[in-house]
Every structure is written in structure tokens, then in C-alpha cells.
Amino acid sequence: MTVLDRTPAGTSAHVAELIMDLQSVGLRIETTLETSRTGGAGPSDSGMLWIEGVPVTVPPSETSPYSLRAEDDGQGIFRDGVKVASVAGTRRPRFYDLETADGIPYHQIALLHLDSLASTVVQACNYWGNSDQCGFCGIGVSLAAGNTIAKKTPEMLAEVAVAARDLDGAVDATLTTGSSVAPDRGALYVARCGQAVKEAAGLPVEVQFEPPRDLSVLDQVHDMGVDSVGVHVESFDPAVLARVAPGKFRTGIDAYFRTWERAVQLFGEGRVSTYVILGMGEDPDLTVEMCRRAVDIGVYPFVVPLRPVAGSLMEDVPAPSREYTEPIYRKVAGFLAERGLGADTAVAGCARCQACSSLNLVQQSGQGDRRGGTPCGTGAPGAAPLLQIGRRPDA
């Protein structure tokens, strides 16, 4: 019997443990799920749900012990025939039915991820389709499928952002880009797009890019008025980077730290983030220690479980178990709490949204391990109550 089996349904601990479990083993979809994301630049093939009021993205899985089923008054998650949580699905955004004057559907320009507008502004990467291709990435998949267009202009994105705000309640925008061979690595173009969105829609904006070769590029990005930046190392384990992201490995982890340090000086603590993917064979203790180092300079390490993307090089790699991820969440949550960083300090972007991770659930519960606490891998999953985060507005 697992801890989840012993925890009363509907309690805060039950919801937290269920979400961590679902993000590891996925969810069988036995009813209609109107919004989901496939492909894309990040490690995220997922359905988008509100589980007991908590925003979550969950990978679909035909072998999961959990199933999503329709009910008379909504949807529910079931295990072994027993309902374990109520679910509110997300309806198809209204702005998806609009198109630009020249006939481009809005949903090919940007998507709504729960309450965050998101777009890959240049759907191409110099790592894609060669020996440098990142194993977890699917940036070329959605383009090949015709789900998006190769390049979005600042004007397009501004137009769509206004519609997403007015019709569907978007609260921020997250803009990313494939890596470029140019010295700025694509940072200036994605920042121009972010500037246009912010000026037109007034939404907080995060832009994401690779470390530019000249750190003065960060000053130019900052001067365009975006609120936060994501510079994603993906893994702190050099051996993992060399295997799954050779281009990032050549950039070097020290280059990421130099970039983050300058970015924090410009944007402020908590407004610089980096993805840290768990489940790619990394050393967990090294990962925790490097997350601590990042937090110490004001960077938010957004720890997420690997979510295999169909069509990516790692599509058959299983997601990590909750028994593996939870001790890491607890350690990193403790570092964040001590530094005073959280989803609220992120303002915009993935670290603000949090739906792809359970890190914020652990931190808000006050159950993060403090420095000198239990080593990774030795904690008992669910040993203490975890959360209740507040419901999002208009959930």
C-alpha cells in the first residue's frame, strides 16, 4: 500500500501526492480533453487540467493506473474504480477560432497553456536534425505536422496576445525560440516579440534563449521592457549534457552561471530561471548542489520530471518515479524558501505557471528540506502533508 492509498481523498496531502504520481505515470484519457500540447520546443507533451483547483499538466499514458473519466457534473480521476480527485478541464480557448488578416489561425501563432500564453517565435533550431539535437526536444515535430508556422512576427504576437487576454483571461506570456548561430543566439528577436506583446496587451512577459556570446545582449533585452528571462541549462550533470544536449554541453555550465549572474543584476532575484529536467540519468546529489548554487545567486531552478515528447530522440525514455523526484523537490524547495524565491517572484513564464512541476507544491507546504537535511533518495515520499495552493482566478 502506498502513502497515497492511506491518505484521505480530498486532503491537501492527497492532492499533492496524486499530482506527483500523475506527472510520473501519466493519465489514461477515457473522455474528451479539449486542450493539450504536443511537440514544441520544451519537454512537454501533456494534457492541461485543474485537479481539485490546482493547475497541472499531465502526460497521457495508455498504461497508467489512473484514468480520466466523464461524470454527470464534470470529470474525475479514478484508480481501481475509485474516484481519487475531481477535475475541471480547460475549454478550447475562444481566440483559437480567430485568424489574422492574411489568414493565419491564431492557434498557429500562440497557444494558451492554462492561463499563460506561450509561443515559440522561431520554430527552428541550429541543433535540430543533426548530431547536436537535444534528446528531449520536439521543436521540429509541431512544425512538420503543420500545427504552427516557422516564424512569428512581433505584430502577430501582439495581436494574438490582446485576444488571449480579452477572450480567455491570459495572465502572462512566455516566449521562447530555437537556438540561433548568431552571436545573440536569438535573444534579441524573441525580446522584440516580448516587447510588442507587453506594449500591446500589458501582460507580464518572459523570454527564453540560450546564453549569448556577448553578455551585453542581456542589457539590450532588459531595455526592451520584458519582465523575466529563462536561460535553460536542462541538466547540471555534464555527462548527461554531453549525451542528450551536446550543443549545450559545449556552451558549458560555467557559461550559464555567468549569464545568470548578469541577468539577475538586470532583472532581479527570482526573475531569472532555468529548466532542470529530472530522469535523464543525472547524479541527483550533484543536481541538488548545483541547484543550491543557482538559488544562491538569485536564479530559480525550475525542476521538472522528464516528459518524453513523441517524435523526439528520447520519446521511449520513461518518466522518473515520484520516489526519485520528491526528495529532490524537497531539497530545492528548502533552498528557495531560505532565499525568499517562489512562483510569485517569477512574475511570468514557466516558473510562474508551475503546472509542469510539483516544486511549488512542496515549497508552499513548508515541507522543503533545509540545508543539511535528508540526503537525496533517503526521504519517505509523502512523509508529511504537502500543500494547498490557492485556486487560480476563474479556475
Side-chain angles (χ1 to χ4, degrees):
M1 178 179 290
T2 67
V3 174
L4 182 61
D5 295 327
R6 299 195 300 268
T7 307
T11 66
S12 299
H14 174 88
V15 176
E17 292 155 9
L18 173 63
I19 289 170
M20 280 190 276
D21 229 12
L22 288 169
Q23 290 186 329
S24 290
V25 303
L27 182 64
R28 280 183 289 120
I29 310 300
E30 298 181 358
T31 183
T32 300
L33 185 62
E34 289 199 25
T35 57
S36 62
R37 178 192 178 199
T38 58
S44 182
D45 265 16
S46 59
M48 302 177 188
L49 306 166
W50 299 87
I51 298 176
E52 299 289 349
V54 178
V56 187
T57 61
V58 178
S61 170
E62 295 181 358
T63 60
S64 173
Y66 297 98
S67 61
L68 178 68
R69 300 179 186 175
E71 299 184 290
D72 291 340
D73 57 350
Q75 296 175 327
I77 295 175
F78 290 77
R79 179 168 183 166
D80 299 326
V82 177
K83 183 177 178 180
V84 295
S86 296
V87 170
T90 52
R91 57 171 171 74
R92 174 183 168 84
R94 288 187 282 266
F95 80 86
Y96 283 12
D97 296 325
L98 304 179
E99 60 182 38
T100 64
D102 50 356
I104 300 174
Y106 278 13
H107 63 79
Q108 291 188 341
I109 298 170
L111 297 174
L112 194 65
H113 294 176
L114 292 162
D115 55 7
S116 182
L117 187 71
S119 179
T120 303
V121 303
V122 177
Q123 200 83 25
C125 180
N126 62 285
Y127 298 151
W128 184 262
N130 55 54
S131 60
D132 283 338
Q133 182 170 327
C134 295
F136 47 79
C137 182
I139 191 171
V141 175
S142 47
L143 182 62
N147 296 331
T148 188
I149 58 175
K151 187 173 183 178
K152 293 84 170 179
T153 67
E155 295 76 18
M156 287 177 185
L157 288 158
E159 180 179 335
V160 173
V162 171
R165 179 201 64 192
D166 293 346
L167 298 178
D168 298 287
V171 301
D172 75 347
T174 305
L175 305 181
T176 189
T177 183
S179 186
S180 166
V181 296
D184 73 313
R185 310 299 297 279
L188 295 178
Y189 186 75
V190 71
R192 278 179 52 207
C193 293
Q195 180 182 34
V197 166
K198 189 166 182 66
E199 289 178 352
L203 298 176
V205 176
E206 174 170 291
V207 297
Q208 302 174 349
F209 48 84
E210 289 286 276
R213 293 184 176 89
D214 183 345
L215 294 185
S216 68
V217 167
L218 297 172
D219 296 74
Q220 297 178 66
V221 171
H222 179 259
D223 290 345
M224 292 186 204
V226 299
D227 299 278
S228 60
V229 295
V231 184
H232 300 331
V233 70
E234 318 296 359
S235 177
F236 281 119
D237 190 325
V240 170
L241 277 188
R243 174 169 49 83
V244 307
K248 289 175 177 281
F249 171 75
R250 286 198 305 276
T251 297
I253 292 173
D254 285 345
Y256 280 89
F257 273 98
R258 288 194 297 271
T259 303
W260 295 332
E261 287 172 348
R262 179 59 183 147
V264 169
Q265 291 173 4
L266 292 165
F267 293 91
E269 293 195 2
R271 294 195 177 196
V272 179
S273 63
T274 186
Y275 255 79
V276 181
I277 305 172
L278 303 181
M280 299 192 296
E282 68 283 339
D283 179 333
D285 292 315
L286 173 63
T287 299
V288 166
E289 173 57 24
M290 296 297 274
C291 285
R292 180 202 59 76
R293 181 181 163 193
V295 170
D296 282 348
I297 63 171
V299 173
Y300 190 105
F302 187 51
V303 179
V304 300
L306 175 68
R307 185 159 299 168
V309 176
S312 71
L313 300 178
M314 296 178 73
E315 64 179 348
D316 295 324
V317 177
S321 69
R322 180 165 66 92
E323 288 74 16
Y324 177 75
T325 60
E326 185 174 351
I328 298 175
Y329 283 142
R330 287 181 178 275
K331 293 293 291 187
V332 178
F335 302 153
L336 290 166
E338 287 186 346
R339 188 73 181 192
L341 303 182
D344 55 338
T345 61
V347 182
C350 298
R352 195 286 307 172
C353 173
Q354 289 284 332
C356 293
S357 174
S358 296
L359 179 59
N360 195 50
L361 308 184
V362 175
Q363 184 180 353
Q364 290 208 357
S365 71
Q367 295 301 321
D369 292 334
R370 301 293 172 163
R371 296 170 200 249
T374 305
C376 282
T378 63
L386 290 175
L387 62 77
Q388 180 67 14
I389 71 173
R391 292 174 181 266
R392 293 272 179 83
D394 302 319

